[in-house]
């Protein structure tokens, strides 16, 4: 057989191919998986030069090996994917209230603003410009943030199903939402509200909101079986859902479905509490239990008057015919109550803030507050900070109660009042905070704070260094880490020695912007600069186009740091020359 007749070797099945086509262009084909019908999913690319098509083929192979190749099939736009996701995926897996929020975000904001984009072409910058445009057009920051959360969830599902390789909404900066400072009602305002509520139907509904802090849905979904009058306990088990109506007249009345005379509710009335923390027992004061007994008797009279019009469903708070209350109607009743009582306007949910504040004033433990309010572990500390706001009036009332408790007996016995300028608060109730630049370090004893500030001024003369006096309660509720951060002794201080070098690919050393070796005084609360080890070193490849390798050493012993620096530099040079050996990358 002659050399010319030797058959051309055949590529194995599934291998990538690159060839010059009859059209004069270079083509590449890469097998990336299997299609839904079982046939190979072989992708085709075409470029003018062999180098260009080789680069694209290698990139496809890397994506295939990482499992991040976009799934073949329908070419999604943002509009078609969001519509499919919200109706066919999310709607079957989330609660009714959640899907309502998703639909508003999708159909009122996301599709009109972003729907024309190809799904795989959507960038984080598109989203950030869209959020800004929403707010420029009058949408609240919270509305823009809800749109961000919705599209992030939808695109996470697209990534999971391999319609996308990454989620741009996870990269985009979310709109910043400032938490609104809520002022709870004072004791006098609560008394005015309760006095006015007593003149109206379902008075106990507002007492429960203001005294126990139950959410609107929890109160409206409560049934008589949830109240144990003998034990004095309410068991929160479910929440009222907002009704969703359709026409019962065949859409002939010309009104919206909710105003149709023959409207039909297409949604269940309640749902179970969504978490174990939400399903909770709450102790009820005897006065409120008595009010609920009176309410039950009044409901029995209404049932007798309504006769066959009454629908018995077991709810505690109902319409005059036994139906559960509509949340929208309940909201308007709240606004009417505020106006009639002559009390400043506020959201219905703000009654919950008032209840949380009352619990704080009464000194109820955090664990009990979490149980009453229905806060999940892990989120409770943040929720307490959010809900338990104290107005100036509440602070004064609390201070008076504490003063009477701690010093009332002494003052009554004839002890002199504090002199002018002297703090009436005992020293142990004051926290001495060393303010060191942007850092605040709390101390139980003033001399420790003074010593740290003095040394800090010597070490860092250009930084702020002073002692602040904080009320103990203020520090525990507003200071970083609360009571656990307060120190009862002097912190440790050491001199830390540093060494650093930078190497280019190939091992050439480059000049750095900081000295090769330096030392710095550090306290044990400065975790970013402090180490208690004699020496510790590491090498790392820096992100970016330069691909430099950095060697870093620090420790408490100068000689040990110098010895470790030589070892770190040796590894950094080897790492710069052989990146694949350290798992950095196989190509530059």
């Amino acid at each position: 057989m002659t050399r010319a007749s030797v058959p051309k070797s055949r590529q194995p099945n599934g291998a990538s191919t690159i060839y010059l086509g009859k059209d004069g262009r270079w083509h590449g084909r890469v097998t990336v998986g299997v299609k839904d019908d079982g046939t190979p999913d072989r992708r085709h690319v075409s470029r003018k030069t062999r180098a260009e098509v080789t680069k694209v083929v290698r990139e496809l192979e890397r994506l295939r090996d990482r499992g991040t190749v976009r799934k073949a099939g329908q070419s999604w736009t943002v509009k078609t994917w969001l519509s499919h996701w919200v109706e066919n995926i999310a709607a079957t897996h989330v609660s009714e209230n959640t899907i309502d929020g998703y639909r508003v975000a999708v159909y009122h904001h996301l599709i009109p603003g972003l729907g024309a984009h190809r799904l795989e072409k959507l960038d984080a910058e598109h989203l950030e410009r869209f959020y800004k445009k929403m707010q420029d057009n009058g949408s609240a920051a919270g509305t823009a943030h809800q749109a961000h959360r919705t599209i992030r969830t939808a695109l996470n599902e697209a990534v999971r199903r391999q319609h996308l390789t990454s989620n741009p909404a996870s990269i985009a900066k979310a709109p910043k939402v400032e938490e609104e400072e809520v002022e709870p009602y004072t004791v006098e305002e609560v008394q005015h509200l309760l006095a006015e509520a007593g003149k109206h139907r379902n008075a106990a509904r507002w007492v429960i909101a203001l005294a126990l802090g139950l959410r609107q849905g929890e109160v409206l979904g409560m049934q008589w079986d949830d109240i144990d009058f003998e034990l004095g306990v309410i068991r929160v088990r479910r929440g009222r859902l907002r009704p969703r109506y359709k026409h019962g007249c065949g859409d002939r009345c010309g009104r919206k479905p909710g105003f149709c005379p023959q409207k039909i509710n297409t949604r269940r009335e309640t749902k179970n509490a969504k978490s174990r923390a939400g399903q909770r027992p709450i102790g009820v004061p005897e006065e409120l239990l008595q009010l609920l007994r009176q309410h039950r008797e009044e409901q029995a009279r209404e049932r007798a008057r309504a006769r066959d019009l009454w629908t018995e469903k077991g709810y505690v708070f109902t319409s005059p015919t036994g139906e559960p209350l509509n949340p929208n109607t309940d909201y308007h009743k709240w606004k009417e109550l505020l106006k009639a009582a002559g009390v400043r306007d506020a959201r219905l949910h703000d009654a919950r803030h008032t209840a949380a504040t009352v619990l704080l004033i009464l000194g109820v433990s955090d664990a009990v507050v979490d149980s009453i309010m229905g806060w999940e572990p892990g989120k409770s500390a943040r929720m307490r900070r959010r809900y338990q706001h104290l107005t100036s009036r509440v602070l004064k009332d609390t201070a008076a109660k504490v003063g009477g408790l701690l010093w009332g007996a002494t003052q009554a016995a004839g002890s002199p009042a504090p002199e002018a300028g002297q703090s009436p608060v005992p020293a142990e109730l004051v926290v001495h905070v060393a303010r060191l630049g942007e850092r605040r370090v709390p101390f139980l004893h003033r001399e420790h704070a003074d010593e740290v500030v003095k040394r800090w001024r010597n070490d860092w003369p250009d930084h702020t260094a002073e002692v602040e006096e904080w009320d103990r309660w203020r520090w525990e509720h507003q200071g970083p880490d609360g009571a656990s951060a307060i120190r009862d002794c002097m912190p440790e201080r050491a001199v830390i020695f540093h060494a650093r070098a930078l190497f280019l690919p190939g091992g050439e050393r480059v000049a750095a912007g900081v000295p090769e070796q330096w030392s710095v005084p550090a306290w044990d609360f400065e975790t970013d600069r402090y180490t208690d080890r004699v020496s510790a070193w590491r090498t790392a490849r820096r992100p970016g186009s330069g691909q430099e390798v950095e060697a870093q050493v620090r420790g408490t012993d100068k000689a040990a740091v110098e010895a470790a620096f030589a070892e770190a530099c040796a590894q950094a040079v080897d790492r710069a020359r052989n990146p694949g050996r350290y798992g950095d990358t196989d190509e530059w």
Side-chain angles (χ1 to χ4, degrees):
M1 183 179 292
T2 65
R3 182 181 181 89
S5 64
V6 174
K8 189 176 181 179
S9 62
R10 186 176 182 275
Q11 290 277 58
N13 288 337
S16 302
T17 57
I18 298 174
Y19 59 92
L20 180 64
K22 294 180 180 180
D23 57 359
R25 292 173 62 87
W26 284 90
H27 298 263
R29 296 186 182 275
V30 183
T31 301
V32 298
V34 179
K35 295 180 181 179
D36 291 340
D37 61 0
T39 60
D41 183 1
R42 195 160 174 82
R43 304 293 172 89
H44 170 255
V45 295
S46 174
R47 296 293 186 273
K48 291 182 179 180
T49 67
R50 184 185 182 95
E52 289 176 328
V53 82
T54 299
K55 182 178 179 180
V56 178
V57 166
R58 297 295 175 254
E59 179 61 26
L60 263 176
E61 289 174 338
R62 278 192 290 270
L63 292 175
R64 175 197 62 195
D65 295 341
R66 291 203 301 261
T68 57
V69 177
R70 187 173 62 86
K71 188 177 180 181
Q74 180 175 356
S75 180
W76 296 97
T77 64
V78 172
K79 177 180 179 179
T80 56
W81 173 252
L82 287 179
S83 301
H84 171 74
W85 169 78
V86 77
E87 299 300 341
N88 301 311
I89 301 174
T92 60
H93 292 90
V94 300
S95 71
E96 291 89 336
N97 287 344
T98 301
I99 198 63
D100 281 350
Y102 283 164
R103 286 188 172 116
V104 169
V106 166
Y107 294 121
H108 290 266
H109 300 293
L110 293 169
I111 287 180
L114 298 167
H117 284 283
R118 289 271 299 275
L119 191 62
E120 70 273 13
K121 299 293 184 182
L122 185 67
D123 293 329
E125 289 76 14
H126 294 140
L127 296 170
E128 289 163 346
R129 287 193 290 269
F130 167 68
Y131 302 148
K132 184 178 184 301
K133 186 176 180 181
M134 279 186 67
Q135 295 179 78
D136 290 344
N137 290 338
S139 293
T143 304
H145 203 278
Q146 166 68 2
H148 168 75
R149 295 195 306 271
T150 301
I151 195 167
R152 183 181 62 195
T153 303
L155 297 186
N156 276 339
E157 187 64 29
V159 171
R160 196 174 74 85
R161 295 169 185 246
Q162 296 184 328
H163 300 309
L164 278 179
T165 58
S166 62
N167 186 351
S170 297
I171 302 171
K173 294 290 186 182
K176 186 176 181 180
V177 180
E178 298 288 347
E179 285 193 349
E180 180 184 358
E181 189 73 17
V182 180
E183 183 181 358
Y185 288 117
T186 64
V187 174
E188 289 79 3
E189 287 173 323
V190 172
Q191 290 172 343
H192 287 308
L193 282 170
L194 296 182
E196 181 62 31
K199 304 175 185 177
H200 300 270
R201 188 173 173 274
N202 289 329
R205 184 263 177 274
W206 311 115
V207 179
I208 288 177
L210 291 164
L212 301 182
L214 267 64
R215 302 173 179 90
Q216 182 192 42
E218 293 171 342
V219 178
L220 300 189
M222 188 187 306
Q223 297 184 359
W224 287 112
D225 290 344
D226 301 328
I227 304 176
D228 190 324
F229 286 96
E230 292 185 5
L231 294 178
V233 170
I234 290 177
R235 292 182 175 86
V236 179
R237 294 168 173 163
R238 68 189 69 81
R240 175 80 165 101
L241 291 171
R242 293 185 176 276
R244 190 178 185 88
Y245 298 107
K246 70 175 183 179
H247 283 282
C249 65
D251 201 8
R252 294 189 297 270
C253 65
R255 304 178 183 179
K256 292 182 178 180
F259 295 94
C260 174
Q262 299 175 328
K263 63 186 177 185
I264 300 173
N265 185 12
T266 61
R267 177 171 290 174
R268 55 181 174 159
E269 293 175 346
T270 63
K271 67 169 184 174
N272 292 335
K274 61 183 180 181
S275 66
R276 183 173 296 180
Q279 298 182 15
R280 62 198 188 277
I282 298 177
V284 185
E286 180 57 38
E287 293 81 359
L288 179 52
L289 286 173
Q290 183 58 34
L291 187 60
L292 286 169
R293 292 187 184 96
Q294 296 173 6
H295 174 73
R296 185 170 56 178
E297 294 171 0
E298 177 59 32
Q299 190 179 90
R301 288 190 288 270
E302 287 186 344
R303 186 185 296 106
R305 286 195 298 268
R307 296 179 182 271
D308 57 346
L309 295 178
W310 185 270
T311 302
E312 183 56 63
K313 296 184 176 181
Y315 289 102
V316 175
F317 302 108
T318 69
S319 71
T321 59
E323 294 288 345
L325 293 178
N326 188 312
N328 189 50
T329 303
D330 183 68
Y331 168 81
H332 289 295
K333 289 292 184 183
W334 167 255
K335 293 296 185 179
E336 293 172 6
L337 178 65
L338 296 179
K339 187 175 181 180
V343 174
R344 59 185 167 82
D345 187 47
R347 304 174 307 165
L348 174 55
H349 198 69
D350 292 347
R352 188 165 163 82
H353 290 260
T354 299
T357 303
V358 169
L359 292 171
L360 175 64
I361 294 172
L362 294 176
V364 178
S365 70
D366 289 347
V368 175
V369 171
D370 296 345
S371 175
I372 292 175
M373 302 299 289
W375 292 329
E376 294 186 60
K379 300 179 182 178
S380 55
R382 181 179 64 83
M383 297 304 293
R384 280 194 295 275
R385 289 195 299 271
R386 171 74 177 127
Y387 278 84
Q388 293 178 337
H389 300 284
L390 294 182
T391 64
S392 57
R393 177 58 187 272
V394 171
L395 285 171
K396 291 178 182 177
D397 291 348
T398 307
K401 293 175 183 177
V402 173
L405 178 64
L406 296 180
W407 306 293
T410 304
Q411 295 291 344
S415 298
E419 297 178 3
Q422 180 181 352
S423 171
V425 183
E428 62 267 25
L429 296 181
V430 174
V431 179
H432 308 282
V433 180
R435 182 184 172 195
L436 313 172
E438 297 300 320
R439 191 192 307 270
R440 283 185 168 89
V441 185
F443 293 91
L444 195 61
H445 306 293
R446 175 69 187 233
E447 60 267 27
H448 295 159
D450 288 336
E451 181 64 23
V452 171
V453 165
K454 178 182 176 181
R455 294 197 193 183
W456 185 276
R457 284 174 178 162
N458 294 334
D459 295 337
W460 311 101
D462 296 330
H463 292 70
T464 303
E466 60 185 11
V467 177
E468 301 174 344
E469 299 288 347
W470 285 54
D471 174 81
R472 177 73 177 245
W473 184 95
R474 179 190 169 202
W475 176 264
E476 291 183 358
H477 290 78
Q478 298 178 10
D481 299 324
S484 62
I486 301 175
R487 293 170 175 263
D488 192 27
C489 59
M490 273 295 293
E492 295 181 0
R493 180 177 180 271
V495 175
I496 307 302
F497 298 92
H498 293 255
R500 176 177 178 270
L502 201 63
F503 299 88
L504 291 173
E508 180 185 355
R509 187 165 176 173
V510 295
V514 296
E516 176 180 299
Q517 296 185 14
W518 75 97
S519 61
V520 61
W523 300 88
D524 62 2
F525 52 78
E526 295 180 271
T527 54
D528 51 338
R529 290 184 293 182
Y530 183 81
T531 178
D532 57 1
R533 299 176 63 180
V534 172
S535 68
W537 65 272
R538 72 181 185 95
T539 64
R541 185 173 299 281
R542 303 179 69 184
S545 58
Q547 294 288 318
E548 301 96 340
V549 175
E550 184 178 42
Q552 285 189 349
V553 188
R554 59 176 163 179
T556 57
D557 185 275
K558 185 176 181 180
V561 168
E562 290 175 345
F565 187 46
E567 188 176 355
C569 286
Q571 186 188 89
V573 170
D574 185 55
R575 187 168 186 169
R577 293 173 178 171
N578 304 286
R581 182 180 300 170
Y582 295 87
D584 294 336
T585 179
D586 289 325
E587 55 184 83
W588 300 101

